[in-house]
Coordinates of all heavy atoms in Angstrom, one line a residue:
N28 N 67.4 65.2 119.3 CA 67.9 66.6 119.2 C 68.6 66.7 117.7 O 69.5 66.0 117.4 CB 69.0 66.8 120.2 CG 69.5 68.2 120.3 OD1 69.0 69.0 119.6 ND2 70.5 68.5 121.0
N29 N 67.9 67.6 117.0 CA 68.4 67.8 115.6 C 68.6 66.5 114.8 O 69.7 66.2 114.3 CB 69.7 68.6 115.6 CG 69.5 70.0 116.1 OD1 68.4 70.6 115.9 ND2 70.5 70.6 116.8
N30 N 67.6 65.7 114.8 CA 67.6 64.4 114.2 C 68.3 63.2 114.7 O 68.3 62.2 114.4 CB 68.0 64.5 112.7 CG 67.2 65.5 111.8 OD1 67.4 66.7 111.9 ND2 66.2 65.0 111.2
G31 N 69.1 63.6 115.8 CA 69.9 62.6 116.4 C 69.4 62.1 117.8 O 68.9 62.9 118.6
Y32 N 69.3 60.7 118.0 CA 68.8 60.2 119.2 C 70.0 60.3 120.3 O 71.0 59.7 120.1 CB 68.4 58.8 119.1 CG 67.0 58.7 118.4 CD1 67.0 58.2 117.1 CD2 65.8 59.1 119.0 CE1 65.7 58.0 116.4 CE2 64.7 58.9 118.5 CZ 64.5 58.4 117.2 OH 63.4 58.4 116.5
E33 N 69.8 61.0 121.4 CA 70.8 61.1 122.5 C 70.3 60.3 123.7 O 69.1 60.1 123.9 CB 70.9 62.7 122.8 CG 71.3 63.6 121.6 CD 71.5 65.0 122.0 OE1 70.7 65.4 122.9 OE2 72.3 65.7 121.3
S34 N 71.4 60.2 124.5 CA 71.1 59.5 125.9 C 70.5 58.2 125.7 O 69.7 57.8 126.7 CB 70.3 60.5 126.7 OG 71.0 61.7 126.8
I35 N 70.7 57.3 124.8 CA 70.3 56.0 124.7 C 71.1 55.2 125.8 O 72.4 55.5 125.9 CB 70.5 55.4 123.4 CG1 69.8 56.2 122.3 CG2 70.1 53.9 123.3 CD1 70.3 55.9 120.9
V36 N 70.5 54.4 126.5 CA 71.1 53.6 127.6 C 71.1 52.1 127.3 O 70.0 51.5 127.1 CB 70.6 53.9 129.0 CG1 71.2 52.9 130.0 CG2 70.6 55.3 129.4
I37 N 72.3 51.5 127.1 CA 72.4 50.0 126.8 C 73.0 49.4 128.0 O 74.2 49.8 128.3 CB 73.1 49.8 125.5 CG1 72.5 50.4 124.3 CG2 73.3 48.2 125.4 CD1 73.1 50.1 123.0
A38 N 72.3 48.5 128.7 CA 72.9 48.0 130.0 C 73.2 46.6 129.8 O 72.5 45.7 129.2 CB 71.7 48.1 131.1
I39 N 74.4 46.2 130.3 CA 74.9 44.8 130.3 C 74.4 44.2 131.7 O 74.9 44.7 132.7 CB 76.4 44.7 130.1 CG1 76.8 45.3 128.8 CG2 76.8 43.2 130.2 CD1 78.2 45.4 128.6
D40 N 73.6 43.1 131.7 CA 73.1 42.6 132.9 C 74.2 42.0 133.8 O 75.3 41.6 133.3 CB 72.1 41.5 132.6 CG 71.2 41.2 133.8 OD1 70.3 42.1 134.2 OD2 71.3 40.1 134.4
H41 N 73.9 41.9 135.1 CA 74.8 41.3 136.0 C 75.2 39.9 135.7 O 76.2 39.4 136.2 CB 74.3 41.4 137.5 CG 74.1 42.9 137.9 ND1 73.1 43.6 137.5 CD2 75.0 43.7 138.6 CE1 73.2 44.8 138.1 NE2 74.3 44.9 138.8
N42 N 74.2 39.1 135.1 CA 74.4 37.7 134.8 C 75.4 37.5 133.7 O 75.6 36.3 133.4 CB 73.1 37.0 134.7 CG 72.3 37.5 133.4 OD1 72.9 38.1 132.5 ND2 71.0 37.2 133.3
V43 N 75.8 38.4 133.0 CA 76.7 38.2 131.8 C 78.1 38.1 132.2 O 78.6 39.1 132.9 CB 76.5 39.4 130.8 CG1 77.5 39.2 129.6 CG2 75.1 39.4 130.2
P44 N 78.8 37.1 131.9 CA 80.2 37.0 132.2 C 81.1 38.1 131.7 O 80.8 38.6 130.6 CB 80.7 35.6 131.8 CG 79.4 34.9 131.6 CD 78.3 35.9 131.2
E45 N 82.1 38.5 132.5 CA 82.9 39.7 131.9 C 83.6 39.4 130.7 O 84.1 38.3 130.5 CB 83.9 40.1 133.0 CG 84.8 41.2 132.6 CD 85.6 41.7 133.7 OE1 85.6 41.3 134.7 OE2 86.3 42.8 133.5
D46 N 83.4 40.2 129.6 CA 83.9 40.0 128.4 C 84.0 41.5 127.6 O 83.0 42.0 127.2 CB 83.1 39.1 127.4 CG 83.7 39.0 126.1 OD1 84.8 39.4 125.8 OD2 83.0 38.3 125.3
K47 N 85.2 42.1 127.7 CA 85.4 43.4 127.2 C 85.0 43.5 125.7 O 84.7 44.5 125.2 CB 86.8 43.9 127.4 CG 87.0 44.2 128.8 CD 88.3 45.0 128.9 CE 88.2 46.4 128.5 NZ 89.4 47.3 128.7
A48 N 85.1 42.4 125.0 CA 84.8 42.3 123.5 C 83.3 42.7 123.4 O 83.0 43.2 122.2 CB 85.0 41.0 122.9
L49 N 82.4 42.4 124.3 CA 81.1 42.6 124.3 C 80.8 44.2 124.1 O 79.9 44.6 123.4 CB 80.3 42.1 125.4 CG 78.8 42.3 125.4 CD1 78.1 41.5 124.3 CD2 78.2 41.8 126.7
I50 N 81.6 45.0 124.7 CA 81.5 46.4 124.6 C 81.7 46.9 123.2 O 80.9 47.7 122.7 CB 82.4 47.1 125.7 CG1 82.1 46.7 127.0 CG2 82.3 48.6 125.5 CD1 83.0 47.2 128.2
Q51 N 82.8 46.4 122.7 CA 83.1 46.8 121.3 C 81.9 46.3 120.3 O 81.7 46.9 119.4 CB 84.4 46.2 120.9 CG 84.9 46.6 119.5 CD 85.1 48.2 119.5 OE1 85.7 48.8 120.4 NE2 84.5 48.8 118.5
Q52 N 81.5 45.1 120.6 CA 80.3 44.5 119.7 C 79.1 45.4 119.8 O 78.5 45.6 118.8 CB 80.0 43.1 120.2 CG 81.1 42.2 119.8 CD 81.1 40.8 120.6 OE1 80.2 40.7 121.4 NE2 82.1 40.0 120.5
I53 N 78.8 45.9 121.0 CA 77.7 46.9 121.0 C 78.0 48.2 120.3 O 77.1 48.7 119.5 CB 77.4 47.3 122.6 CG1 76.9 46.0 123.3 CG2 76.5 48.4 122.6 CD1 76.9 46.2 124.8
K54 N 79.2 48.8 120.4 CA 79.6 49.9 119.6 C 79.6 49.7 118.1 O 79.0 50.5 117.4 CB 81.0 50.4 120.0 CG 81.2 50.9 121.4 CD 82.7 51.3 121.6 CE 82.9 51.8 122.9 NZ 84.4 52.3 123.1
D55 N 80.0 48.5 117.6 CA 79.9 48.3 116.2 C 78.5 48.1 115.8 O 78.2 48.7 114.7 CB 80.7 46.9 116.0 CG 82.3 47.1 116.2 OD1 82.7 48.2 116.2 OD2 82.9 46.0 116.3
M56 N 77.7 47.5 116.5 CA 76.2 47.3 116.1 C 75.5 48.7 115.9 O 75.0 48.9 114.9 CB 75.5 46.5 117.1 CG 74.0 46.4 116.8 SD 73.0 45.6 118.1 CE 73.1 47.0 119.4
V57 N 75.7 49.6 116.9 CA 75.1 50.9 116.9 C 75.7 51.7 115.7 O 74.9 52.4 115.0 CB 75.2 51.6 118.2 CG1 74.6 53.0 118.1 CG2 74.5 50.7 119.3
T58 N 77.0 51.6 115.6 CA 77.7 52.4 114.6 C 77.1 52.0 113.2 O 77.0 52.9 112.3 CB 79.2 52.3 114.6 OG1 79.6 52.7 116.0 CG2 79.9 53.1 113.6
R59 N 77.0 50.8 112.9 CA 76.6 50.3 111.6 C 75.1 50.5 111.4 O 74.6 50.7 110.3 CB 76.9 48.8 111.4 CG 78.4 48.5 111.3 CD 78.7 47.1 110.8 NE 78.0 46.1 111.7 CZ 78.6 45.4 112.6 NH1 79.9 45.7 112.9 NH2 78.0 44.5 113.3
A60 N 74.3 50.5 112.5 CA 72.9 50.7 112.5 C 72.4 52.1 112.2 O 71.4 52.2 111.6 CB 72.2 50.3 113.8

Side-chain angles (χ1 to χ4, degrees):
N28 186 9
N29 293 327
N30 299 86
Y32 287 110
E33 299 180 334
S34 303
I35 302 167
V36 178
I37 300 179
I39 302 173
D40 196 72
H41 297 79
N42 64 18
V43 175
E45 182 166 359
D46 180 7
K47 288 194 68 176
L49 183 60
I50 297 173
Q51 187 60 47
Q52 290 158 4
I53 293 171
K54 291 181 177 180
D55 292 343
M56 176 191 70
V57 176
T58 300
R59 295 193 302 263

